[in-house]
């Protein structure tokens, strides 16, 4: 399966590299928003949200951003824009994984 990923990445660099750079920017924005939302949650004494964002940053920060829009609107936008920028490479990787799982398993090199 890893060989299929690497082969696709090397044969289609014109797609993979721009999406990887876009995803890196998205992950950076999400990380900055995640950190700010965690500090906001702890600062407002919303302990459950703070620890949820600390332990599960991706789903918890989006849920916190959507449920508490008024606390830190610019951090909410950072998280949501970061997620949007990261979605193309995540969707493409999921598609490549689905293709790789459909490939037949190679024969083992060493058999006893």
């Amino acid at each position: 399966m890893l060989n299929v990923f690497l082969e696709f990445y090397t044969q289609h660099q014109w797609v993979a590299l721009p999406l990887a750079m876009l995803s890196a920017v998205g992950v950076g924005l999400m990380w900055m928003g995640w950190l700010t939302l965690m500090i906001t949650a702890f600062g407002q004494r919303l302990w459950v949200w703070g620890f949820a964002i600390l332990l599960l940053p991706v789903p918890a920060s989006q849920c916190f951003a959507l449920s508490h829009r008024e606390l830190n609107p610019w951090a909410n936008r950072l998280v949501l824009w970061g997620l949007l920028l990261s979605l193309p490479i995540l969707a493409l990787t999921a598609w490549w994984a689905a293709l790789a799982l459909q490939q037949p398993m190679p024969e083992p090199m060493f058999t006893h």
Side-chain angles (χ1 to χ4, degrees):
M1 187 163 97
L2 181 61
N3 291 339
V4 176
F5 282 135
L6 295 176
E7 184 179 325
F8 196 89
Y9 277 123
T10 56
Q11 290 178 356
H12 299 87
Q13 290 181 6
W14 59 275
V15 172
L17 288 177
L19 286 179
M21 287 187 270
L22 191 65
S23 177
V25 170
V27 167
L29 289 176
M30 270 198 310
W31 188 82
M32 288 175 16
W34 162 73
L35 185 63
T36 307
L37 287 177
M38 184 181 61
I39 291 170
T40 300
F42 282 134
Q44 295 293 321
R45 299 185 191 272
L46 300 170
W47 304 111
V48 174
W49 275 113
F51 284 115
I53 294 171
L54 179 65
L55 298 175
L56 299 166
V58 175
S61 60
Q62 277 84 12
C63 292
F64 183 74
L66 291 173
S67 63
H68 294 88
R69 294 176 193 251
E70 69 283 348
L71 289 181
N72 203 340
W74 68 271
N76 297 349
R77 285 190 287 268
L78 277 177
V79 169
L80 295 176
W81 274 104
L83 181 64
L84 285 175
L85 289 176
S86 299
L87 278 179
I89 194 73
L90 294 175
L92 195 58
T93 303
W95 178 63
W96 291 335
L99 287 178
L101 289 174
Q102 293 174 359
Q103 300 292 324
M105 290 294 291
E107 292 294 322
M109 292 178 64
F110 304 107
T111 58
H112 295 252

